[in-house]
Amino acid sequence: LAKTTQPISMDSYEGQEVNITCSHNNIATNDYITWYQQFPSQGPRFIIQGYKTKVTNEVASLFIPADRKSSTLSLPRVSLSDTAVYYCLVGPKGFGNEKLTFGTGTRLTIIP
Amino acid sequence: EPEVTQTPSHQVTQMGQEVILRCVPISNHLYFYWYRQILGQKVEFLVSFYNNEISEKSEIFDDQFSVERPDGSNFTLKIRSTKLEDSAMYFCASRQEPTNEKLFFGSGTQLSVL
């Protein structure tokens, strides 16, 4: 399983764009990159998944360079409600990804 | 968006007691999972369940743990004889098909073993 490295914490002001980078140097050819969000006392919530280049949905964008050794989750114009822990996971697209261990994640704090 | 529901939200028990944590997965989902998160630590996979049997389990899921789908809606995790180190947040998750990338998690049950 690919090991991931993320910053432990980040602070940002409301209205800013936030970029959280995840390193995964030993990503395998078949691996996908998936991001989850977790609020205190809540279960993780799926944000976005991608394999290469750029993926965008109504919540976030995911940028993956050609070598796929890192990825960046981009949250546009954050608000206080985006304060949460963000996890980067690397592994199968579907079946099998349920066994991935969520790492320590990045604790994002949005400042008013 | 549909939700996975877990009850109770908090459970306090004495060491050695049996506890049952309950989950109602999303109605058309077929694959069910339990996870554990000890305070301040990682979310860890415990077990996956499909077609009324365990598909896979982690090293954590030892003989004191069991899962069951007693009816068409509930999915339960039983801990037979709780230990202090079982204190954690337990999350249930589900998805419709194994190829779906998205797991839907419940809000969890905070288990405190005294």
Side-chain angles (χ1 to χ4, degrees):
Chain A
L1 293 173
K3 178 175 162 48
T4 59
T5 304
Q6 307 174 230
I8 293 174
S9 64
M10 292 178 67
D11 294 338
S12 180
Y13 287 98
E14 273 191 296
Q16 300 290 309
E17 177 184 81
V18 171
N19 296 309
I20 306 174
T21 298
C22 179
S23 296
H24 29 80
N25 289 319
N26 60 339
I27 187 169
T29 304
N30 296 330
D31 285 343
Y32 282 70
I33 299 142
T34 308
W35 286 80
Y36 278 81
Q37 174 192 55
Q38 186 180 25
F39 297 114
S41 300
Q42 296 284 320
R45 174 175 159 257
F46 174 92
I47 302 174
I48 198 165
Q49 185 186 75
Y51 183 80
K52 61 180 180 180
T53 61
K54 177 183 173 183
V55 180
T56 297
N57 62 22
E58 64 277 7
V59 176
S61 294
L62 179 58
F63 299 92
I64 305 166
D67 66 6
R68 302 197 333 120
K69 293 184 184 300
S70 67
S71 57
T72 299
L73 175 72
S74 182
L75 304 172
R77 296 180 301 280
V78 293
S79 64
L80 295 176
S81 62
D82 292 313
T83 294
V85 178
Y86 291 81
Y87 299 98
C88 165
L89 295 97
V90 173
K93 181 180 194 295
F95 181 72
N97 68 0
E98 70 277 4
K99 297 195 295 288
L100 296 176
T101 296
F102 290 68
T104 49
T106 298
R107 185 172 299 278
L108 175 65
T109 302
I110 305 304
I111 304 163
Chain B
E1 189 172 68
E3 289 185 348
V4 173
T5 305
Q6 289 187 244
T7 55
S9 57
H10 293 85
Q11 175 89 48
V12 180
T13 190
Q14 295 291 324
M15 191 169 55
Q17 295 295 303
E18 175 184 284
V19 293
I20 298 176
L21 310 183
R22 291 182 166 78
C23 168
V24 179
I26 294 169
S27 62
N28 63 345
H29 286 193
L30 301 175
Y31 296 81
F32 313 118
Y33 313 94
W34 282 101
Y35 295 81
R36 177 182 83 174
Q37 186 174 32
I38 295 171
L39 184 64
Q41 297 188 28
K42 304 173 183 179
V43 176
E44 301 172 291
F45 168 79
L46 291 178
V47 66
S48 58
F49 189 87
Y50 168 71
N51 199 26
N52 280 321
E53 60 183 30
I54 290 174
S55 309
E56 198 148 359
K57 57 186 180 180
S58 71
E59 292 176 351
I60 303 169
F61 195 89
D62 61 23
D63 291 344
Q64 69 160 346
F65 290 93
S66 63
V67 290
E68 191 178 31
R69 189 154 163 84
D71 53 44
S73 59
N74 289 285
F75 179 50
T76 62
L77 173 70
K78 182 193 290 186
I79 309 175
R80 288 192 184 82
S81 178
T82 50
K83 304 173 193 158
L84 295 177
E85 54 265 37
D86 293 326
S87 294
M89 182 75 97
Y90 289 82
F91 295 108
C92 171
S94 70
R95 63 178 156 198
Q96 187 176 22
E97 298 172 356
T99 52
N100 290 151
E101 68 273 18
K102 188 188 295 191
L103 290 165
F104 290 82
F105 284 81
S107 295
T109 294
Q110 179 64 57
L111 176 65
S112 298
V113 182
L114 306 178

